[in-house]
Amino acid sequence: NKATSYGLIAAAEKAGLKSGDRIVEFAGKNIMSFSEFKKELNKHEVGETVEIVVVREGREKTLKIYLSEYKGE
């Protein structure tokens, strides 16, 4: 199964992603737009662990994200 942006956001929140964080790197690739983010995410499968780098309050923070299937709420 391909990972989805909804699944990533849910997993990222569990790993510490907060409202206002801006994703600038995903699995070693610089992210400049949401379309770039989706393109990189689509290269990964559910069950993989990837690192993302976010900017929070002007500082970079690295989070490890386990890509899980999005089950909705």
Side-chain angles (χ1 to χ4, degrees):
N1 289 349
K2 290 288 182 195
T4 66
S5 55
Y6 295 112
L8 173 73
I9 297 305
E13 286 174 346
K14 288 180 186 176
L17 186 74
K18 295 185 178 182
S19 178
D21 286 354
R22 184 170 50 94
I23 298 172
V24 294
E25 189 176 301
F26 179 83
K29 302 287 185 180
N30 289 333
I31 302 297
M32 301 298 285
S33 67
F34 187 70
S35 61
E36 282 184 10
F37 164 73
K38 284 178 60 176
K39 178 182 170 187
E40 291 304 318
L41 178 61
N42 286 332
K43 295 177 182 178
H44 297 273
E45 302 287 332
V46 168
E48 289 184 59
T49 299
V50 297
E51 284 190 355
I52 65 170
V53 177
V54 299
V55 173
R56 178 184 299 162
E57 298 175 356
R59 295 177 140 165
E60 287 190 354
K61 181 170 180 70
T62 301
L63 304 172
K64 285 191 178 191
I65 308 297
Y66 174 78
L67 300 177
S68 58
E69 197 169 345
Y70 181 67
K71 304 215 189 300
E73 293 192 28

